[in-house]
């Protein structure tokens, strides 16, 4: 049955691999990429914080200074995730949700 499979495979794997890392996370998003509201809030917050520090969020990280386009180093606290298949899938799903919403 489905419950037996869940209790035999899914729940033990979650308890072993996922649950321990959740305590180390800065943010845990319930339902992950399915939670468009939470993702939008996080994206808006990150963009707002980058904008306050003079970063452009549209293209490569740059700053306007004296009418010149100048490269800025990324903040040390900003972590850019490697482009794994999971990250690409999350990005695709999020873009798809945005396209549907428009």
């Amino acid at each position: 049955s489905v419950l037996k499979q869940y209790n035999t495979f899914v729940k033990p794997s979650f308890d072993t691999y996922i649950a321990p890392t959740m305590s180390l996370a800065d943010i845990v998003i319930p339902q992950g990429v399915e939670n468009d509201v939470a993702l939008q809030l996080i994206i808006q917050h990150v963009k707002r914080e980058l904008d306050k520090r003079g970063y452009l969020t549209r293209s490569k990280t740059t700053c306007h200074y004296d009418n010149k386009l100048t490269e800025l180093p990324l903040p040390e606290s900003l972590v850019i995730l490697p482009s794994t298949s999971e990250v690409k899938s999350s990005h695709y799903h999020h873009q798809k949700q945005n396209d549907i919403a428009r």
Side-chain angles (χ1 to χ4, degrees):
S1 80
V2 173
L3 287 176
K4 183 178 178 183
Q5 286 180 343
Y6 173 81
N7 288 323
T8 304
F9 299 106
V10 177
K11 181 73 170 122
S13 293
F14 176 85
D15 291 340
T16 302
Y17 300 106
I18 305 299
T21 61
M22 288 174 70
S23 65
L24 303 173
D26 292 323
I27 299 172
V28 176
I29 302 172
Q31 292 111 27
V33 297
E34 302 287 326
N35 192 338
D36 196 48
V37 173
L39 290 174
Q40 284 298 326
L41 288 172
I42 292 167
I43 291 167
Q44 288 173 1
H45 177 74
V46 169
K47 284 183 176 182
R48 189 170 39 251
E49 290 300 311
L50 289 172
D51 287 343
K52 280 199 298 191
R53 290 168 173 84
Y55 293 92
L56 297 176
T57 54
R58 284 275 167 180
S59 58
K60 62 183 180 178
T61 306
T62 56
C63 178
H64 290 282
Y65 180 73
D66 291 336
N67 294 326
K68 295 179 183 173
L69 213 52
T70 309
E71 293 280 337
L72 283 179
L74 293 173
E76 289 182 21
S77 59
L78 180 66
V79 177
I80 298 178
L81 298 174
S83 187
T84 63
S85 58
E86 292 85 0
V87 170
K88 289 178 184 177
S89 174
S90 296
H91 185 257
Y92 171 78
H93 177 78
H94 183 70
Q95 281 300 112
K96 187 175 168 186
Q97 290 300 102
N98 283 342
D99 291 344
I100 291 171
R102 291 178 196 171

